[in-house]
Amino acid sequence: VIDRLNACTSTEISAEDRNRILGEAHFLRGWYYFQLARYYGDVPLVLNETIDLSQMDVERKPVKDVYAQIISDYEFAEQHLPVQNIVGHAHKYAATALKARAYLQMSGNPINDKEAASKAAEACREVIGSGRFALVKDYFSQFDGLHEHNSEYLFDVEFDNTANKSLYGGQVGTTDGVPHENSVYWVQVRATPTMFGKFEENDMRRNSMCRGGHIINQDGNEVLVYDEEYESVDFIYKFRHQLGAANRGTGWCNWCNSINFPIIRYADVLLMLAEAENRANGAPSAEAVEYVNQVRRRGYEVDIKTPNPSVDIKMMSGAEFDQFILEERSRELCFEGHRWADLVRFGKLKEAFNKAFDAPDWEYYENVKQYFSEDAIKDKHLIFPIPQSVIDASEGKIQQTEAWK
C-alpha cells in the first residue's frame, strides 16, 4: 500500500485521503513490527513490496534497528493521521500512545535504553494533554460489546457480527468465561488463585475473575449463581457476553460475537506515564502518583478526581513504586495481553512465574502444576524461538536465536 500509493500520481485521490491511508499503513506496520520485536528480538526489516522472493533481504536486523523503524512509523502516522478517524481506524493519538508503549518497552529489559523512558513520558503526556480522553465510570462497560467506543477508547481489534457473522465476528471472552449451560463460554482458559489474591475485596476489578460462579437458566432468565462444585476455580469473567439471549442479538453465537479486544486504552496511558517518569527520574512525581490513584479510584468505585485516603497510594521511593506499578498494571489490565511483556521489561518473569504456583488452593490444577518446577523458566524464555517453518522457508538464511539452539 505504501509503495503503490507513493507511486500513484492520480488526482482522484485527495491529499486528505492519501495522508490518512499512508498514516494507517505506517501505523499498522509499526504495530506489527512491535509485536515481532517484543517476541522475537532481531527480525528482518521488509519495508518495500516484495515482487521476487529470491531478492528479498531476510537478514535479521538488530532489535534496536527494528525499534527505530517502529518509532519512525508511529511518528509518520502521528503526522499524517487525523485527530479523529472512522471508528475502528487509527487516529493520531492512537499512534502517539503506541509510540509511548514502544519507548517504554525499550526503556526496560532487554534493551535498557535510558533515554527512552523520558520519551515515553512525553508521548503519554501529549495524549493526556489533548483533553480528548477520560476514564469511564463503569470499568466493565468497556468489555461487554455494547460500550466500547467510549472516552477511554484509543484502539481496539474490532469485531462485528451484525453484517456477516462468518467474516466479522470474534471469539473474545469465549475460550475463557464461566460455566454456562448454553455453552456461551467454553471455559478453557482460567486464572490462578494467585491472580485473584492480588485484589482487595472492595476492588471491583477483582470481578474480572469469577470464583465459583456458573450461569444457569432460572425462571426464563440466565443468571450467575455460585456453587460449591466450582468454589476452588477462578474463571476469567472480564469480557462479559450478555446474559440475556435477547440482548446478544439474533446474529450472535458463542464462536462469533461483537466484543472487541482492546489494544490500548486511556487507563494504560496513565499507568505508562507513571512508570516512564519513575524510570526516567528514579522516583515518581506527584503527577504520576495522582494518575495511578485516578485509575485505582475508578477500580474501587469512588469519585475518580477526588482524593480518597482509603484507596490512594502515597508517595514512595522509586524502587517501591517500580514494584507497585507492575502489580497495578496487572490488576487494571489483566487478560488484555500485557503481562508477559511487562514482566520481561521489569526483569520479573521468573519471579512472577514461580509465585503463580505458590497458592495453597492449587489442588484443582494439579494436572497443570505437574508440568512446572522452580527451574521451569530459563533465560531463553525472555524471547520466543524462531518458528522452524520460517527457518525452512528462508532456506537457512534465518538462523535460530542463539539461546534456543
Side-chain angles (χ1 to χ4, degrees):
V1 170
I2 293 170
D3 284 356
R4 295 190 183 197
L5 191 54
N6 282 332
C8 177
T9 59
S10 171
T11 57
E12 293 182 10
I13 304 175
S14 68
E16 182 181 13
D17 282 345
R18 183 183 291 269
N19 283 338
R20 177 182 54 78
I21 295 168
L22 285 172
E24 290 185 18
H26 280 271
F27 174 92
L28 290 173
R29 186 169 71 181
W31 168 248
Y32 296 139
Y33 266 111
F34 180 56
Q35 306 314 304
L36 290 171
R38 287 197 300 178
Y39 295 135
Y40 298 104
D42 302 350
V43 296
L45 281 173
V46 182
L47 304 178
N48 297 101
E49 182 180 7
T50 299
I51 299 174
D52 183 350
L53 288 178
S54 67
Q55 300 300 311
M56 186 169 70
D57 180 9
V58 295
E59 179 187 357
R60 293 176 69 182
K61 301 300 189 293
V63 68
K64 288 186 177 180
D65 294 348
V66 181
Y67 269 105
Q69 181 60 48
I70 293 165
I71 298 301
S72 174
D73 276 335
Y74 281 145
E75 288 179 340
F76 183 98
E78 284 181 288
Q79 295 164 11
H80 291 78
L81 285 173
V83 169
Q84 185 172 344
N85 204 348
I86 303 167
V87 167
H89 291 246
H91 54 76
K92 167 185 167 60
Y93 290 111
T96 305
L98 288 174
K99 181 180 74 172
R101 180 180 288 171
Y103 272 133
L104 191 61
Q105 198 69 29
M106 293 167 63
S107 72
N109 292 324
I111 296 178
N112 293 307
D113 182 343
K114 301 306 179 186
E115 296 181 0
S118 59
K119 294 176 181 176
E122 180 183 353
C124 288
R125 192 167 283 108
E126 184 176 346
V127 175
I128 296 167
S130 72
R132 301 184 66 87
F133 309 98
L135 298 176
V136 298
K137 185 176 181 180
D138 181 355
Y139 177 77
F140 287 108
S141 68
Q142 303 172 87
F143 315 111
D144 64 4
L146 300 177
H147 308 91
E148 294 162 324
H149 303 118
N150 51 56
S151 62
E152 198 162 334
Y153 161 85
L154 275 135
F155 194 70
D156 284 353
V157 176
E158 299 284 328
F159 292 107
D160 181 359
N161 67 341
T162 57
N164 183 327
K165 63 184 181 182
S166 64
L167 292 179
Y168 301 110
Q171 296 182 23
V172 177
T174 297
T175 53
D176 43 49
V178 297
H180 190 292
E181 65 181 9
N182 293 327
S183 299
V184 168
Y185 300 105
W186 295 346
V187 203
Q188 294 175 343
V189 181
R190 300 168 191 172
T192 66
T194 308
M195 183 67 209
F196 189 83
K198 289 182 179 183
F199 296 88
E200 294 180 339
E201 187 175 353
N202 55 340
D203 185 343
M204 52 83 68
R205 295 172 300 180
R206 188 170 72 165
N207 294 326
S208 294
M209 288 155 288
C210 178
R211 174 165 284 186
H214 65 125
I215 296 172
I216 64 171
N217 192 300
Q218 194 173 77
D219 299 325
N221 297 309
E222 291 179 329
V223 296
L224 181 65
V225 298
Y226 296 86
D227 194 300
E228 291 182 0
E229 178 184 355
Y230 303 108
E231 66 180 356
S232 62
V233 189
D234 296 294
F235 299 108
I236 298 172
Y237 194 42
K238 187 166 192 172
F239 298 96
R240 284 160 151 71
H241 297 175
Q242 298 302 299
L243 285 183
N247 295 330
R248 291 196 289 268
T250 56
W252 192 97
C253 53
N254 61 358
W255 49 266
C256 181
N257 64 75
S258 60
I259 298 176
N260 292 350
F261 189 82
I263 297 299
I264 190 160
R265 51 191 179 85
Y266 187 59
D268 194 0
V269 175
L270 297 178
L271 295 177
M272 285 198 301
L273 175 62
E275 179 189 339
E277 284 210 336
N278 191 52
R279 287 180 177 274
N281 304 320
S285 65
E287 178 189 34
V289 171
E290 170 59 18
Y291 286 143
V292 173
N293 283 333
Q294 288 182 15
V295 172
R296 286 177 58 77
R297 290 170 200 149
R298 193 263 299 275
Y300 284 78
E301 295 188 305
V302 298
D303 186 72
I304 293 171
K305 295 296 182 67
T306 303
N308 191 308
S310 67
V311 172
D312 292 357
I313 61 168
K314 297 180 173 62
M315 186 61 68
M316 59 184 73
S317 70
E320 291 172 322
F321 192 76
D322 198 52
Q323 182 60 35
F324 181 86
I325 200 69
L326 176 61
E327 293 311 298
E328 190 63 26
R329 286 183 62 81
S330 179
R331 287 184 284 268
E332 174 67 25
L333 304 170
C334 57
F335 316 126
E336 295 180 46
H338 303 296
R339 182 64 170 169
W340 183 85
D342 286 354
L343 290 170
V344 170
R345 183 172 71 254
F346 278 83
K348 298 284 188 179
L349 180 63
K350 188 169 186 176
E351 176 185 326
F353 183 89
N354 289 331
K355 280 184 179 179
F357 297 93
D358 285 345
D361 49 352
W362 255 93
E363 288 80 2
Y364 189 89
Y365 298 89
E366 281 301 323
N367 62 327
V368 176
K369 191 177 180 180
Q370 63 180 311
Y371 297 106
F372 300 102
S373 62
E374 287 294 318
D375 62 348
I377 289 290
K378 304 181 186 303
D379 290 343
K380 70 179 184 179
H381 292 114
L382 297 175
I383 206 79
F384 283 19
I386 301 298
Q388 188 61 45
S389 59
V390 172
I391 296 172
D392 293 344
S394 75
E395 297 181 345
K397 293 177 183 177
I398 294 177
Q399 296 293 313
Q400 183 58 269
T401 301
E402 191 63 32
W404 281 93
K405 287 184 178 178

